[in-house]
Amino acid sequence: MADDVAVTDSSEEGEDDEEEEKRIRDGFIVDEDEEAEEEDEEEERRRRRKRRKRRHRRRAEEEEVALEEDDLELLEENTGTSFRNRLTRLRRGREDRSPPASSSRRKQVVESSEDDLDDDEDLPQVQDIQRIWDDERAGRGQEDEEDMDDFIDYEDEEEAGGLDEQEREERRRERKKLERQRRRAMGSIPELSGIDASAWDEIHEVFGDGHEYDWALVGDNEIELDEEAQKSEMKYQDLTRITQVFEPSEIRARMLTEDDDLIRAQDIPERMQLVTSSFSHSSTLSLHQNLTESDVDDAAAWVTSRLSARKTRDFFSDNGPYRPYRDALVLAVSYALRLLFVQEFEVPYIWTHKRDYISYFNPQEMRTRIDLISLAELWRIHVLGQKFRSLLERRNALFAAYSRLNAEDDYFEQMLKPKIDTVEMVADSTEWLSMKYKSRKQDTFDLHFHDDEEITDRKRKPPSRVSAYEIAKKSVVSKLADGFGIRPHEVVQNFISSDRPNFVEDQELNPTAFAEQFANPDSMIPETPAALLRRARMILATELGKDPLLRQTLRDLFKAEAQVSVQPTERGINKIDEHHPYFNFKYLHHKPISQMLDSAQFLHILAAESEHLVNVSIYLTNEAKGRFERLLNDAFASDTWNEERSRVVQEALDQHLIPVGTKWCREWLREEVEDALAAHCGNKLRERIDVAPFATPDSQPGYSPSVLAISWGKGDPQKDAITMVILDDMGRLREHVKIDNLVDQDYRDEFTDLLKRRRPDVIVVGGFSMATTKLSARVKAVLSGRAVEGDPSAPEWRPPETVNEQVFDIPVIYVRDEVARIYQHSKRAAEEFSTLSPIAKYCVGLARYAQNPLNEYAALGADITAISFEDEDQHLIPKEKLLIALERVLVDVTNKVGVDINRAVTDSYYQHLLPFICGLGPRKAHALVRKIASLGGNLVNRDQFIKSSLLTTKIFLNAAGFLRISQDVDVKPTKNRHADDDGPDPLDDTRIHPEDYELARKMATDALELDEEDIHGEHPSHVVSLIMEDSDNERKLNELNLDEFAVNMFEANEDRKRHTLNVIREELLKPFAEQRGPFPALQPWEVLTMLSGETSRTLRTGLIISVLIVRIEINDTVITRLDSGIEGIITPDYLSAQGNVRPKSMFKKGQTVQAVVVEVHLDLPADHFQVVLSTRSIDLNQGDGLFRRVKRDEYWNTQQYERDLEMQARKKRAETDRTRRVIKHPNFHNFNATQAENFLEKQQRGDVVIRPSSKGVDHLAVTWKVDDKLYQHIDVTEINTPSGPILAVDDKHQYADLDELIVNHVQAITRKVEELMAHEKFKHGPEDELHLSLKNFVAANPAKSAYGFTLNRRKPGHFNLCFLANKNATVQTWPVRVTPESYCLFEAPVAGVPELCDAFKVRLSRHLHQSQNLTNTGAGGKTPYGAGARTPARTPGHVTPGQMSVRQVPGRTPNPHGGQTPAPPSHYGGGIPSSSYGMPSQPPFGYQTPSAYAHPPPPPPMGQPPPHIPPGMNPQRAAMIQNSGGWDQGGW
């Protein structure tokens, strides 16, 4: 019946409407009958509802169920085809097991019979089975379209009933093609852009199809969602499946994250999109905006002034040799910056193809050739350009914030704004504006940059503490400060300018009398005139100290004249002896920082400081500081009040300017030294990779040798076989052989047969011991036709005898094996040669190194940092910085050599070079290889990169000149000009960039003296082929006047092409000629170090070493062996000082003796390494301390060194002379502190050692174990009283004897310690781990606070109570002291751990409440409690004091008079509880001592509950703690 309807409809239409057909093909059905259309829509909705129900039932099924018999019969009846045991339900997780479709007729039936199957389960459609993963990749978000497709197919069959089978099939194919295009356009997932089909195939290969973990998603699938919402979510199904089911580390390793997709898709060089190295495991995207044309000129001036000291001296000093070319230098820098940051070209592209723009070019001075910028300086410009870009972004943000203030500040706009040219100046200006306009809108200075941490909570937290400066500024004291007659910024203007534009208005009264006018006698705490003047000076000093211009001037002074001194700590005095590597700077004194920029000494100093061995100080010389202070005083001085003004200047220097300068200078010096050291390591790498493959004298240029690599491993004859590996000239493994030795004739014959069969160009020898030298000698003996007698295990091995055998003229060499050592155990080696042994893989690495050192280092990737380029200093460089420096060298050399793109596609090892090509990186290179492979794996010309969409435009321009396409010598360029798109081009096998192809063709035409008519109709590069094949091409090309040609081009188009023309000439003569140096031979010391680990320092003449006697020769020569395996020899002259002593009477075989190094003999061609030794007593008695002693630095504090030596000697004598006490007690030992700790190391907690005390005979020291590696030393004083001697720990704890002291003091404290350590709030490990735990808890529970206990490692026997009030606060630390009877929180004793927790909660609640009161009253004239002391002003860089260290400064005593102490590391402020005696107690970690003028609030009456009780605490218990003084000893 359906067919009848179709025929009727078709007959009514008459002829097919072309527009109607087109719309049908596009997936739309136009029905003029609206009612029929509504019925169709209703039918479609009905089917979709049924399908949704079926999907829900299908998820609940556990096994496949065959189609019901009725359905199968229905299908067979309509089609005549048997479907039994063929069609099964398509189940989730079983797609790969679904039977494939077999015929187009079956497809037609399945599609057209969907209505008949609505009442049952879905049948698998052919396209579904073939595209199971594709459908899911699209998120199954196209189910509507697929359903409509089925409907269209059905209607199409009706409408096309009048067509024959061929026409119907053509229409069906056309419709499918259009539908596929439409789906591709609509079904792309933005989050997964850049992942093509081949990449998905790789994902499936590694991860599977994503259904392995469906059991884990069953719960989610049980929820039935709305149809439309479900479709929108399905678009992200694959992304969710990848990120949630599979390991993120695997996805990152495969570079399949969203960031990786973005990097692949953007038309920007990959390295320019990253902040770090492209091979870093933590690579992050750079969100910087590029420079604009208007920024280039400013950037050029900024960069040129910072390029290098030598450039500044040569080009800008009055007597500089290149001063006439300074404008050309600035122009060259601007060209480089434009190419780098506007046009986005990488450094190798500029250096190779745009060299003319960074070199001096003057048409009137063509003979003058000056390279204005070197390659290293071009990289330096790249780094400085990045810094300027960051500066520009921050500066613009600052200006935008200033404009939001709606303020008109002449000083900022006229003085500061033009001079903001450093990041430090931006930070200083931001801080200055924030200080000056504090009352303005609070969010004005919320400057956020791309590298700032993301702020998740935008709710602003009100400030919890008001600085003393803000309080004073809002009080009457600010008017007193105005009485100084000049404003701070006017002082700075006077300081900077020579004419002093601002004058001081003097007061008629003296300072004290003037200040009395501002005193308030009615105040509760009236301030004296001196106090008022002090606060006024603080206002002026703070504003002077925060002035950006003054800070920048001081930073410049530090940079020029700062000095460094080092003072050893008590630990360092004892640990750093004359042989310690830190001894060089142990007493460094007044060393200028300018002399520390070229060495790694400062990094070693910082390392020693981190080990608490030294303290380093950076400061200005007295002369420089005095000069600066004088100038500032002169800018401030007048006729009166000069003494007060001088105090202001002194305070500004000491409290603000000097600390800021010191901190900046320390970081600047560290950065400079790290950069210099990283560049040095890069130069070392360049020396190793900027070399050509090993070449024999008769080898052709560009030819890679075939290599035989041979190794004996560790050289043990009983365990190690000799392993040999052959690699052909293409780097392919051809043969792998193992033999036991090269002494037996059978093995020598096998080795000889291998040489005859493979004919290697070179033999590379490597190994892990000095036995490798014997292997090398035996290989050379076989090659020269000499026989080797004896067994390799025999100690006696003499030169072999000559026999008549075939002689091989094959060189035997050593190569660096550092890369091979890493390769043998790498994952890459296991994937490439899974069947080879580690030694065989090591041999593969050696052979590859000889063939191409560059390729070997490039294949390491991020592991290249494991290679040691600077043994003693490299570990001091941050890994990311080192990786960037090494990557730049690899990029330089790789682009210098070029990469054969077709070989890179087929050779996975050679492919490691591709990421270093200009414009590419790991991600783009991998995508390029896969795209080329999908096109067949071979490119014919460079045009295909663009025409086949292999590279985007900018990447192509960067990379094209370095990607060579080798030309088959038998294939000639086509002569048809119109067929050049698909034909080879000889210029594609040169370093000539495609944009210069016309120049090359022009040069070839002129050299051959051809006219355009001569080459008409030929391939554009046909003339290039002619000049390349011309036997006299060098003469013809050299006859061209390229300088004149360059001048003509410059005059016509201002194109600079002189260097480019020379490059083109060289490439036409020798395409991709080898530009690297020859393969270097290792020096004898390098071979010795590689095989033994010994260096010229460890084998210096005069050193005493241990040697093993191996044998005694007949001529009384003693043969020895060093620990490193090197052979040593003791001649009769060096045996004994007495002479005529037989060695057998002194030594015997196997004996270990001490010997002095006399000389080292190195004979590399003979593989003979030997150390001459002496055992004479006259040589040994002198010792080797003089030779091992570390050399002192030139700037050495001799006086301090001698004083410390004398003090150490005096302590040693006192310890020796001290009478050892003997006490009859089982716990008494004559130990010092270190010995006692070592003794208790394996004992239990609470175990005790009683020992003598260094304080005298009336003292004892009691050491007990608190925890692992934590011991408390208690000083016990013996006091004689009339009633007998007592042992006093302090005034409160005194005992009659040692047993009572141990039981009632030590063991009692131990019980308290164990009780607290057993509490749930205690966390083992360092305090930092507790901080992290608190932060994680509060981050997960933002509405809660958290606290915990941990051991105080700095004060054994004490605990630290750490708490985090909220997620925006910082972790605070309060001390808890343990006594035998209680815990003391701020000297307030509590009996147990629950009471300690309650006391903490009450004290914290009280603390928070009073801090809030301080905030609310901070703006009034009355000074709130806790603000009497100086509150440190805002620290540089917007770091609040609460973010500083909470550790207490050792040795700092509390100030009872309200002096300045470190501010509390808290958002809450507050003072310190005083002791019960009314005096301030020792301030807790980082807390501020209360002012002498501030009084704590009175405690509540007895019996009355505290006003601030933590939630959930019993009020009676809180009152009991309150009344007992548990938390109110000193108040808050």
Side-chain angles (χ1 to χ4, degrees), residues 1300-1313:
E1300 183 183 358
L1301 184 145
I1302 292 174
V1303 173
N1304 294 337
H1305 191 88
V1306 177
Q1307 293 183 1
I1309 293 179
T1310 303
R1311 287 192 293 273
K1312 289 289 184 183
V1313 170

Side-chain angles (χ1 to χ4, degrees), residues 80-133:
T81 304
S82 175
F83 285 86
R84 298 180 185 275
N85 298 326
R86 291 177 59 189
L87 288 179
T88 60
R89 287 185 176 89
L90 190 62
R91 288 188 46 76
R92 201 162 176 239
R94 300 294 187 92
E95 285 88 337
D96 53 325
R97 301 181 186 178
S98 300
S102 58
S103 66
S104 60
R105 180 180 179 185
R106 173 188 168 192
K107 175 182 177 182
Q108 175 184 344
V109 169
V110 173
E111 291 178 349
S112 61
S113 60
E114 184 176 347
D115 288 335
D116 299 330
L117 302 176
D118 273 347
D119 294 333
D120 202 77
E121 304 293 337
D122 282 343
L123 291 177
Q125 300 180 10
V126 176
Q127 65 269 26
D128 292 334
I129 298 174
Q130 293 175 346
R131 299 196 312 271
I132 291 174
W133 183 255

Side-chain angles (χ1 to χ4, degrees), residues 1118-1131:
V1118 180
I1119 305 299
T1120 65
R1121 185 172 65 247
L1122 280 65
D1123 293 338
S1124 57
I1126 303 175
E1127 182 183 88
I1129 181 172
I1130 306 174
T1131 61

Side-chain angles (χ1 to χ4, degrees), residues 648-832:
V648 171
V649 170
Q650 188 66 40
E651 184 175 345
L653 278 172
D654 295 341
Q655 301 297 328
H656 300 281
L657 295 174
I658 296 296
V660 168
T662 300
K663 182 179 179 181
W664 173 85
C665 188
R666 178 190 177 99
E667 291 304 309
W668 172 79
L669 183 57
R670 180 183 60 81
E671 286 284 342
E672 290 294 317
V673 175
E674 286 177 354
D675 291 342
L677 190 54
H680 179 68
C681 292
N683 293 333
K684 290 283 188 180
L685 174 62
R686 191 183 300 273
E687 293 175 2
R688 301 185 187 183
I689 65 175
D690 196 9
V691 295
F694 178 87
T696 57
D698 56 345
S699 62
Q700 297 295 325
Y703 174 77
S704 295
S706 60
V707 183
L708 167 62
I710 181 170
S711 177
W712 195 5
K714 294 182 179 180
D716 188 342
Q718 307 300 325
K719 298 180 181 179
D720 300 320
I722 298 175
T723 302
M724 294 176 285
V725 165
I726 285 280
L727 263 64
D728 64 12
D729 57 348
M730 294 299 294
R732 294 168 295 196
L733 177 64
R734 288 306 186 188
E735 197 162 345
H736 166 224
V737 179
K738 278 189 177 182
I739 58 176
D740 288 342
N741 57 69
L742 280 176
V743 176
D744 296 345
Q745 187 63 41
D746 292 342
Y747 294 129
R748 289 208 314 275
D749 291 344
E750 185 176 354
F751 178 62
T752 305
D753 291 341
L754 178 65
L755 296 178
K756 293 178 181 178
R757 187 169 60 254
R758 293 298 180 183
R759 289 288 177 180
D761 297 315
V762 63
I763 298 177
V764 177
V765 181
F768 312 134
S769 70
M770 290 303 298
T772 305
T773 59
K774 294 184 178 181
L775 174 64
S776 176
R778 289 168 185 166
V779 169
K780 292 176 182 178
V782 173
L783 295 177
S784 61
R786 293 176 288 131
V788 179
E789 296 181 356
D791 189 84
S793 62
E796 294 84 7
W797 181 75
R798 296 179 176 82
E801 300 176 359
T802 303
V803 296
N804 292 327
E805 292 187 8
Q806 182 175 356
V807 177
F808 297 91
D809 186 16
I810 303 175
V812 179
I813 63 171
Y814 294 96
V815 298
R816 296 184 184 275
D817 69 343
E818 53 199 4
V819 182
R821 289 177 185 245
I822 295 176
Y823 175 74
Q824 65 176 330
H825 301 297
S826 67
K827 181 181 178 181
R828 181 165 56 92
E831 293 173 352
E832 292 179 335

Side-chain angles (χ1 to χ4, degrees), residues 423-453:
V423 176
E424 293 82 10
M425 279 287 289
V426 173
D428 292 341
S429 301
T430 304
E431 187 176 354
W432 184 83
L433 284 173
S434 179
M435 176 192 69
K436 187 171 182 179
Y437 298 98
K438 185 74 174 180
S439 59
R440 301 284 178 121
K441 197 173 181 180
Q442 289 293 329
D443 61 354
T444 300
F445 294 98
D446 284 353
L447 306 182
H448 302 295
F449 307 101
H450 69 280
D451 51 355
D452 292 339
E453 294 183 1

Side-chain angles (χ1 to χ4, degrees), residues 590-610:
H590 296 336
K591 185 169 184 178
I593 62 172
S594 59
Q595 299 188 24
M596 305 186 73
L597 296 173
D598 298 329
S599 70
Q601 186 186 57
F602 187 71
L603 297 182
H604 286 287
I605 292 174
L606 295 181
E609 186 183 44
S610 67

